[in-house]
């Protein structure tokens, strides 16, 4: 057990219809080797032992890849530190005596389920609108090496494909835009020969769905790129815009 | 009931083709009248749900995460095997088959493994077509790396995030079907029971995790693609939510559980740092391509390192014991996982461990950095490069290959692995055991199928690296679309399943009774406390090394913990709300029964094979001294356990394993 003492100010909200409020919790015995979520585990353990309702928060892999964890810590999506998710944040980033503010993602398109857990199904619907290559399962497709892909393109597509769908970009955007998320998928598939045939249709369909879900407009503040745990670059938004423009031009 | 593995006739390389040609199929118009439930959206479930929907079945897919994309498959790092022989290094379907049977220590069913190897190449083609950005070389062709236990380079990868990329491929195929309305997706839903009508699986009971509502879903077939049960050890590399509930509930409804004791302990994980630990993080096996594993030769040095008086880099080359290279010259650092894990434990138990707890060994990249640095200097035509320049160039190469893993390590440990050798220790990673299935992936309950890590089928007593992803996708994309049709051909006139039947009433009542028990219990201890205690018993007594006495003790201790759990667990909150403590309680309840069955199985298997190492059954002399000793005469069988109302009194059924292709020999990696 460690010896840091902290004060947590945590958003509590019993359900979507509750107004919600910040509540204060002291935590003791925090060690700097703990992850932020392990620190919350300690707090929840104490709450349960007292018969109180523990704090609800989403998490699963706890290694920065599933995209489930989603906390707004001291005013930053995924907290202090760049290129990491909430579950990868460790307590050595904090000092004994610190007060830490913990809130859920805030976006009209991500309604709160309870406390710090939100509903991000809007992302799934954007994906379902066009985030795929229309290919059926079949045992006799062309050989994987039939179409060589320049390493540079493959690497760039890969960089875009590392998006974990966490929603930090939305939570951090002053307009609540989902452009970075949407652009990452459009860009990945546009960069690969397999995705090219549907590139324009995909851009149109995904952007249309994004607008339907109530995400805000992108005004190029660049905040998303800064907070994105996977370093998804604004370059992809530029590529999405190009695909989208090309698509609207040919459509008209 | 006698076990029938339904292996098709004919020579091994013709069985699957023959079977495909002889199975019944469901005509397109009839598929529309058939409902299939797929529980789980990992590689196995995602691939199955997408493929079956494309074929025309009505599919309902379930997962407990908030999105299908977050299934635990997302976390797989290193790669996926396929017998493509792109490297022209002598690979073939047969060799992949052979390596897998041997790697599994001759405890897998030959016919299944052969089929797996056979469809492996299709998987890569399928994924490329979906837009999965695999690593490529400068010629634009797919790149490969090597994994443990084999001597060819057949592992395809996408930097250190292969699972993520493959799962996102399957997820995109699934979402395409969701968009078309062919799949109905139920995320944040947990299956809590399977419903059996007239001896057939006809639906499930699921809890909506947001509202707490208990729902009934009927279908003509139910596919469990619910992953592995490594979290019975509490600490493992699995995601926090990974659990055995779906498989266990199926087991209690009549599905036999195969080889529950076969657990894979992965040799390269970040060591435990303290009592607060909630999970362990894997460092991909691919690191063993370039990292060398060692501990000090001298006990004094190891002690000095543990006390903080020395660092790894202070130990001169001559005083380092590269114990894998020493013990297994032919495979060196790339021996299979079970062998590498036991060797680390052996050194640490002997007092050579290199962290505070004494449970860590080094994984060192300094030699690789130097080698790559020199290579790069040559390529870049730098004459007489300085040592610093070499290091700089070498680091860049290592970072290109493993950058994200190194970052992950630094984040968790707070130490830069380029400067200081990584410290690693084995951790629970994968479960080869699972629901027993026949060649068609059907469990002993008609209409109930199990795919991916949830079944027991292809890896025997030890899984080779990069083969789980292969199996999950093979099952989901290429096997079940055929075999489920053969079963469903009888159901074209059945009509929709009526969920008002008494069988659904009864199953739902059991589920709600269980939930109410937890919420009304008013005990004093949180769920996690019991889970941690169970995990410790399992790790100490049913982990890397097992013996009869320890296993008997474990069984008694688990029964004790279980009894206390039901008496004293405290679950806060209500049934009809988002309630994570309640979710955990149900999962731990099932782990508390499964753990006992694992010990029963381990006790029964009086031999050492693969991940199951019984201390009483090891070679005592000769060049293989200390290595696992199989007993083919008495234990070349799959242990399939039948539930009888008490995990300790499960009924054993044996499926004898016959080897027609591969000759049983002692697995030697020397
Ligand atoms: C850290 C790590 C790295 C790995 N790296 C590799 C690698 O490099 N190569 C390799 O081949 N293998 C690797 N593996 C193993 C491999 O990832 C898994 O075995 C494989 O992904 C399992 O896939 P699956 O589809 O069977 O199950 P999972 O991906 O675990 O999916 C299970 C699904 O079932 C759902 N589910 C479970 N229970 C319920 C329920 N009761 N109700 C509703 N839904 C439920 C979950 O929501 C999820 O969607 C790795 C494993 C780990 C832990
Ligand atoms: S773009 Fe970045 S911040 Fe946005 S969802 Fe993807 S990974 Fe998260
Ligand atoms: S819990 Fe998976 S990314 Fe944080």
């Amino acid at each position: 057990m460690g010896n840091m003492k902290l004060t947590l100010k945590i958003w509590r909200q019993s359900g979507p219809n509750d107004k919600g409020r910040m509540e204060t919790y002291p935590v003791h015995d925090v060690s700097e080797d703990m992850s932020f979520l392990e620190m919350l585990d300690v707090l929840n353990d104490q709450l349960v032992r007292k018969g109180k309702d523990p704090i609800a928060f989403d998490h699963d892999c706890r290694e920065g890849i599933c995209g489930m964890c989603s906390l707004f810590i001291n005013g930053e999506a995924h907290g202090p530190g760049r290129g990491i998710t909430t579950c990868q944040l460790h307590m050595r980033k904090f000092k004994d005596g610190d007060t830490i503010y913990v809130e859920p993602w805030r976006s009209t398109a991500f309604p709160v389920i309870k406390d710090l857990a939100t509903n991000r199904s809007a992302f799934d619907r954007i994906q379902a609108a066009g985030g795929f290559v229309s290919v059926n399962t079949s045992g006799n497709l062309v050989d994987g090496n039939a179409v060589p892909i320049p390493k540079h393109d493959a690497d760039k597509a890969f960089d875009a494909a590392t998006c974990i769908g966490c929603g930090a970009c939305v939570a951090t955007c002053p307009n609540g835009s989902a452009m970075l998320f949407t652009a990452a998928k459009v860009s990945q598939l546009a960069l690969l020969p397999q995705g090219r045939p549907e590139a324009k249709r995909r851009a149109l369909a995904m952007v249309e769905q994004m607008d339907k879900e109530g995400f805000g407009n992108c005004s190029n503040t660049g905040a998303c790129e800064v907070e994105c745990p996977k370093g998804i670059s604004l370059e992809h938004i530029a590529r999405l815009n190009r695909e989208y423009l090309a698509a609207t031009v040919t459509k008209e | 009931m006698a076990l029938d593995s339904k292996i098709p006739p004919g020579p091994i390389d013709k069985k699957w083709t023959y079977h495909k040609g002889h199975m019944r199929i469901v005509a397109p118009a009839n598929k529309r009248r058939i409902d299939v439930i797929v529980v789980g959206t990992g590689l196995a479930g995602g691939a199955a749900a997408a493929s079956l929907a494309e074929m025309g079945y009505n599919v309902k897919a379930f997962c407990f995460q908030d999105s299908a994309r977050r299934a635990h498959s997302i976390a797989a790092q290193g790669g996926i095997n396929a017998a493509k022989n792109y490297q022209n290094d002598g690979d073939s379907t047969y060799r992949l088959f052979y390596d897998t049977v041997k790697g599994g220590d001759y405890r897998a069913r030959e016919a299944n493994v052969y089929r797996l190897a056979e469809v492996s190449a299709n998987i890569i083609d399928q994924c490329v077509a979906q837009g999965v950005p695999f690593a490529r070389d400068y010629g634009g062709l797919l790149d490969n790396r090597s994994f443990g236990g084999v001597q060819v380079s057949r592992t395809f990868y996408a930097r250190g995030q292969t699972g993520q990329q493959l799962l996102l491929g399957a997820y995109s195929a699934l979402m395409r079907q969701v968009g078309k309305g062919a799949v109905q997706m139920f995320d944040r839903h947990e299956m809590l029971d399977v419903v059996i009508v007239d001896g057939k699986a006809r639906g499930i009971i699921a809890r909506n995790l947001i509202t707490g509502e208990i729902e009934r879903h009927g279908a003509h077939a139910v596919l469990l693609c619910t992953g592995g049960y490594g979290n019975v050890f509490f600490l493992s590399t699995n995601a926090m939510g990974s659990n055995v509930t779906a498989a266990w509930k199926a087991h209690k409804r009549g599905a036999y559980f195969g080889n529950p004791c076969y657990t894979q302990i992965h040799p390269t994980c970040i060591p435990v740092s303290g009592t607060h630990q909630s999970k362990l993080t894997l460092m991909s096996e691919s690191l063993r391509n370039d990292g060398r594993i060692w501990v000090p030769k001298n006990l004094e040095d190891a002690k000095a390192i543990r006390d903080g008086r020395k660092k790894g880099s202070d130990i001169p080359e001559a005083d380092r014991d590269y114990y894998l290279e020493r013990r297994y010259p032919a495979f060196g650092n790339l021996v299979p996982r079970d062998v590498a894990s036991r060797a680390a434990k052996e050194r640490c138990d002997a007092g050579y461990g290199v962290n505070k707890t004494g449970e860590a060994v080094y994984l060192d990249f300094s030699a690789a950095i130097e080698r790559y640095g020199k290579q790069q200097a040559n390529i870049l035509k730098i004459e007489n490069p300085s040592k610093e320049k070499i290091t700089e160039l070498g680091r860049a190469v290592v970072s290109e290959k493993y950058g994200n893993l190194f970052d992950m390590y630094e984040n968790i440990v707070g130490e830069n692995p380029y400067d200081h050798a990584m410290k690693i220790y084995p951790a629970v990673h994968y479960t080869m055991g699972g629901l027993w299935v026949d060649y068609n992936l059907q469990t002993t309950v008609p209409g109930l199928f199990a795919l991916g890590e949830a079944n027991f089928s292809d890896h025997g007593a030890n899984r080779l690296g990069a083969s789980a992803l292969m199996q999950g996708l093979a099952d989901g994309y290429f096997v079940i679309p055929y075999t489920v049709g053969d079963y469903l051909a009888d159901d074209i006139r059945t009509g929709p399943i009526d969920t008002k039947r008494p069988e659904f009433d009864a199953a739902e009542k059991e589920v709600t009774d269980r939930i109410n028990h937890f919420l009304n219990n008013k005990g004093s201890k949180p769920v996690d406390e019991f889970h941690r205690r169970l995990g410790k018993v399992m790790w100490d007594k049913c982990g890397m090394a097992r013996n009869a006495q320890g296993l008997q003790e474990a069984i008694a201790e688990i029964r004790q913990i279980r009894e206390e759990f039901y008496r004293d667990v405290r679950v806060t909150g209500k049934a009809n709300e988002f309630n994570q403590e309640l979710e955990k309680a149900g999962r731990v309840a099932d782990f508390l029964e499964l753990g006992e069955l694992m010990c029963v199985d381990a006790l029964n298997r009086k031999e050492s094979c693969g991940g199951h190492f019984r201390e009483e059954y090891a070679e005592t002399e000769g060049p293989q001294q200390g290595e696992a000793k199989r007993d083919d005469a008495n234990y070349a069988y799959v242990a399939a356990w039948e539930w009888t109302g008490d995990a300790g009194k499960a009924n054993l059924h044996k499926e004898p394993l016959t080897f027609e292709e591969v000759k049983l020999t002692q697995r030697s990696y020397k």
Side-chain angles (χ1 to χ4, degrees):
Chain A
M1 277 289 153
N3 44 20
M4 282 162 85
K5 286 195 175 71
L6 302 166
T7 305
L8 295 175
K9 305 259 184 194
I10 300 181
W11 183 258
R12 301 301 309 260
Q13 181 175 342
S14 62
N17 300 324
D18 180 17
K19 261 183 37 224
R21 70 217 71 85
M22 295 299 277
E23 283 185 16
T24 305
Y25 301 91
V27 243
H28 305 278
D29 303 329
V30 174
S31 112
E32 60 170 27
D33 286 332
M34 281 180 189
S35 70
F36 195 85
L37 298 184
E38 284 167 348
M39 184 273 296
L40 289 182
D41 291 343
V42 170
L43 173 61
N44 274 348
D45 185 274
Q46 290 165 7
L47 290 174
V48 173
R49 280 175 205 277
K50 289 189 212 137
K52 295 198 178 137
D53 202 20
I55 293 141
F57 61 92
D58 273 327
H59 65 99
D60 199 23
C61 73
R62 294 206 177 186
E63 53 184 66
I65 193 73
C66 73
M68 189 107 177
C69 64
S70 43
L71 301 181
F72 212 68
I73 302 166
N74 287 343
E76 286 185 88
H78 293 306
R82 291 290 162 260
I84 55 168
T85 53
T86 302
C87 60
Q88 291 176 298
L89 176 64
H90 277 67
M91 296 314 292
R92 61 179 82 88
K93 287 259 167 37
F94 298 90
K95 292 190 313 293
D96 187 31
D98 277 358
T99 298
I100 306 175
Y101 292 81
V102 193
E103 293 170 82
W105 283 175
R106 302 236 185 245
S107 154
T108 38
F110 294 162
V112 169
I113 293 172
K114 187 178 177 189
D115 299 340
L116 305 171
T118 59
N119 186 336
R120 289 168 286 184
S121 300
F123 272 9
D124 286 328
R125 291 188 291 270
I126 295 177
Q127 183 94 18
F132 46 76
V133 175
S134 296
V135 52
N136 278 359
T137 306
S138 117
N140 45 20
L141 288 161
V142 290
D143 186 85
N145 261 347
V147 187
I149 303 176
K151 181 167 165 47
H152 179 260
D153 290 352
D155 286 352
K156 269 223 144 48
F158 174 84
D159 288 341
T162 57
C163 164
I164 56 175
C166 62
C169 45
V170 175
T172 216
C173 174
N175 312 323
S177 164
M179 270 299 259
L180 196 62
F181 166 80
T182 307
K185 193 44 67 186
V186 167
S187 189
Q188 173 206 339
L189 296 175
L191 281 160
L192 296 168
Q194 292 80 7
R196 272 313 316 167
E198 294 171 282
K200 289 178 190 159
R201 194 169 66 88
R202 177 180 306 118
L204 281 178
M206 291 181 77
V207 168
E208 191 190 327
Q209 187 65 35
M210 180 179 86
D211 292 342
K212 257 197 227 157
E213 296 290 346
F215 291 103
N217 290 326
C218 172
S219 59
N220 286 314
T221 66
C224 51
E225 184 187 56
V226 178
E227 292 296 347
C228 170
K230 297 295 144 180
I232 303 294
S233 128
L234 292 176
E235 201 188 302
H236 299 298
I237 296 189
R239 190 168 292 107
L240 166 61
N241 285 333
R242 279 202 299 279
E243 294 293 342
Y244 187 77
L245 197 69
T248 40
V249 169
T250 41
K251 204 172 117 188
E252 279 159 10
Chain B
M1 180 170 69
L3 288 169
D4 179 1
S5 54
K6 308 226 173 81
I7 299 171
I12 192 131
D13 56 345
K14 301 280 184 317
K15 285 183 193 296
W16 180 230
T17 313
Y18 173 89
H19 197 51
K20 280 195 291 186
H22 290 77
M23 273 182 284
R24 294 174 303 165
I25 51 178
V26 179
N30 289 329
K31 289 201 183 96
R32 269 179 256 129
R33 290 188 218 143
I34 291 186
D35 303 319
V36 179
I37 284 177
V38 180
V39 188
T41 59
L43 289 183
S51 305
L52 296 176
E54 278 162 18
M55 293 166 75
Y57 295 107
N58 305 312
V59 176
K60 285 183 173 183
F62 295 78
C63 70
F64 63 74
Q65 290 92 347
D66 71 333
S67 163
R69 65 179 290 152
R70 306 203 204 284
H72 173 56
S73 296
I74 201 91
Q77 302 172 348
I80 175 164
N81 290 329
K84 278 283 199 185
N85 194 29
Y86 283 157
Q87 307 303 326
N88 194 24
D89 52 5
D91 201 9
S92 63
T93 300
Y94 190 87
R95 190 175 292 274
L96 173 53
F97 154 72
Y98 176 88
D99 286 346
T100 308
V101 173
K102 175 186 173 194
D105 218 354
Y106 310 96
R107 290 292 174 265
R109 195 189 284 150
E110 274 190 340
N112 282 55
V113 180
Y114 196 91
R115 174 178 64 192
L116 176 65
E118 210 174 330
V119 302
S120 68
N122 295 340
I123 297 173
I124 303 302
D125 302 339
Q126 181 68 31
C127 295
V128 168
Q130 287 169 344
V132 170
F134 283 116
R136 292 186 178 256
D137 61 22
Y138 283 97
L141 301 178
L142 293 160
D143 197 16
N144 291 119
R145 48 168 64 142
S146 310
F147 257 49
V150 302
Q151 288 168 316
V152 293
S153 211
R154 66 160 75 97
T155 306
F156 294 78
Y157 66 101
R159 224 166 288 169
Q161 285 122 285
T162 317
Q164 180 195 29
Q165 295 310 318
L166 296 173
L167 182 61
L168 293 182
Y171 164 73
S172 69
L174 176 63
M175 294 321 277
R176 176 169 161 244
Q177 298 306 321
V178 170
K180 286 182 175 172
V183 174
Q184 250 183 301
M185 186 64 226
F186 296 84
D187 48 40
R188 291 208 200 256
H189 274 67
E190 184 160 16
M191 166 189 153
L192 293 177
D193 215 338
V194 54
V195 182
I196 315 279
V197 178
D198 298 335
K200 294 178 178 173
R202 289 302 197 193
I204 64 169
I205 305 292
R207 179 167 180 268
N208 176 328
L209 299 181
I210 298 182
T211 62
E213 199 182 323
I214 303 297
E215 301 172 2
R216 302 173 178 198
H217 297 272
H220 301 92
V222 176
L223 277 46
L224 300 184
C225 315
T226 46
Y229 50 85
N231 276 350
V232 63
F233 291 86
F234 186 73
L235 287 181
S236 87
T237 63
N238 290 9
M240 301 296 288
S242 299
N243 69 88
V244 77
T245 291
W248 194 253
K249 291 292 164 15
H251 175 57
K252 292 174 92 166
R253 296 267 177 214
Y256 294 1
F257 212 102
N259 299 329
C261 83
Y262 290 165
T263 313
Q264 179 159 83
I265 316 273
H266 195 293
T268 56
C269 302
I270 299 180
V272 175
S273 74
T275 48
H276 56 268
Q277 195 101 23
S278 61
K279 76 154 278 170
L280 295 169
T281 303
L282 173 81
M283 289 283 104
S284 165
E285 169 161 326
S286 59
L287 292 172
R288 287 199 273 145
N289 271 300
D290 283 314
R292 297 177 70 196
I293 295 177
W294 65 276
V295 292
K297 267 187 192 157
N298 305 315
L299 277 172
E300 307 81 69
D301 282 343
K303 188 160 185 321
I305 292 172
R306 286 200 293 273
D307 300 345
R309 285 178 286 119
K310 275 190 183 172
K311 288 206 284 291
S313 50
D314 297 334
I315 311 297
E317 197 56 35
D319 291 338
R320 299 180 176 190
D321 176 15
Y322 295 94
Y323 57 86
L324 289 177
E325 297 170 29
R326 167 170 61 79
R327 286 178 65 179
Y328 308 99
F331 282 69
N333 292 297
L334 285 174
V335 290
R337 295 179 172 171
D338 55 334
V339 178
S341 291
R342 277 197 296 278
K345 176 173 161 39
E346 188 276 330
R347 283 292 80 189
C348 291
D349 287 352
Y352 294 91
V354 294
N355 73 351
K356 265 184 265 170
T357 64
E359 294 197 329
V361 300
Y362 287 123
L363 177 62
D364 196 332
F365 288 84
S366 47
I369 289 177
E370 198 181 318
R371 189 176 73 235
Y372 286 125
K374 286 187 179 152
Q375 232 174 44
Q376 279 304 98
N378 278 337
I379 295 172
L380 300 171
K381 309 251 179 313
I382 303 174
E383 279 175 37
N384 300 323
S386 64
K387 201 168 178 305
E388 288 72 39
K389 188 72 195 169
I390 292 180
T391 308
E392 183 196 317
L393 292 170
R395 278 183 183 206
V397 176
V398 168
S399 154
E400 157 86 5
K401 289 186 135 175
Y402 311 112
N404 71 316
L405 298 171
F406 276 52
D407 293 347
M408 202 162 168
Y409 180 90
E410 182 166 2
N411 235 316
I412 294 172
V413 181
E415 198 173 75
N416 178 336
Y418 293 97
D419 296 335
H420 304 276
M422 277 185 187
K423 290 184 203 115
I424 50 151
Y425 198 66
V428 173
H429 176 58
Y430 180 88
T431 47
M432 282 75 68
L435 293 174
W436 184 91
V437 289
D438 62 18
Y439 189 75
N440 296 322
L441 306 182
Q442 185 163 243
T443 67
T444 47
V445 175
L448 184 65
F449 295 76
L451 286 66
E453 193 173 339
N455 74 26
F456 90 104
S457 77
D458 296 355
H459 308 292
N462 174 56
R463 174 175 69 79
L464 290 180
S467 285
L469 301 184
M470 172 172 68
Q471 185 219 333
L473 289 181
D475 288 358
Y477 283 136
F478 298 120
V479 179
I480 202 73
Y482 290 95
T483 58
V484 86
D486 191 40
Y487 172 78
L488 290 171
D490 285 334
D491 270 317
I492 52 178
R493 279 183 205 89
T494 307
I497 300 301
D498 175 14
T499 57
K500 297 206 178 65
R501 294 182 60 109
E503 292 86 350
F504 279 88
D505 293 341
E508 178 176 322
K509 182 169 184 307
E510 279 187 42
V511 167
T512 40
D513 286 352
R514 222 161 19 231
I515 289 173
N516 292 335
H517 169 85
F518 287 132
L519 292 171
N520 299 331
N521 199 39
K522 307 288 176 247
S524 68
K525 297 191 183 95
V527 177
D528 279 352
E529 180 168 328
F530 296 95
H531 196 177
R532 275 181 201 276
R533 280 171 60 194
L534 169 67
K536 183 156 170 33
V537 172
M538 295 301 293
W539 178 246
D540 290 344
K541 296 179 174 162
C542 195
M544 267 190 284
R546 303 151 174 192
N547 61 52
Q549 191 196 338
L551 289 165
Q552 272 149 356
E553 286 164 10
I555 290 171
E557 287 165 35
I558 293 168
R559 294 183 80 95
Q560 170 73 23
I561 299 172
R562 195 163 68 217
E563 186 273 320
E564 264 180 65
F565 171 77
Y566 280 101
R567 186 162 38 81
D568 199 21
V569 71
R570 174 169 220 159
V571 180
T572 49
K574 298 191 287 280
N576 59 351
E577 64 174 2
F578 188 68
N579 187 339
Q580 293 169 312
E581 286 299 307
L582 179 61
E583 293 168 29
K584 284 196 285 189
R587 295 171 192 165
V588 171
D590 293 333
F591 280 139
L592 281 164
E593 289 174 353
L594 165 77
E596 184 176 355
L597 183 65
M598 289 169 71
C599 295
V600 167
D601 185 40
L603 195 58
N604 169 67
R605 192 166 281 279
K606 296 184 186 61
E607 65 163 350
S608 292
C609 59
H612 169 66
F613 188 75
R614 282 283 298 266
E615 288 167 336
E616 306 96 312
Y617 308 100
E619 298 288 347
T620 48
E621 55 198 33
Q624 300 288 342
Q625 192 186 1
E627 301 294 331
K629 194 168 166 190
R630 271 197 341 260
D631 177 356
D632 293 331
N634 295 304
Y635 290 95
Y637 65 76
V638 176
W641 297 91
E642 178 189 4
W643 175 257
T644 58
D646 179 340
K649 301 202 176 67
N651 240 343
L652 175 62
H653 299 261
K654 298 178 185 177
E655 178 200 342
L657 291 168
T658 46
F659 293 87
E660 288 166 7
E661 287 297 320
V662 176
K663 204 167 123 265
L664 278 76
T665 50
Q666 181 173 32
R667 215 167 43 128
S668 169
Y669 293 94
K670 297 263 179 198

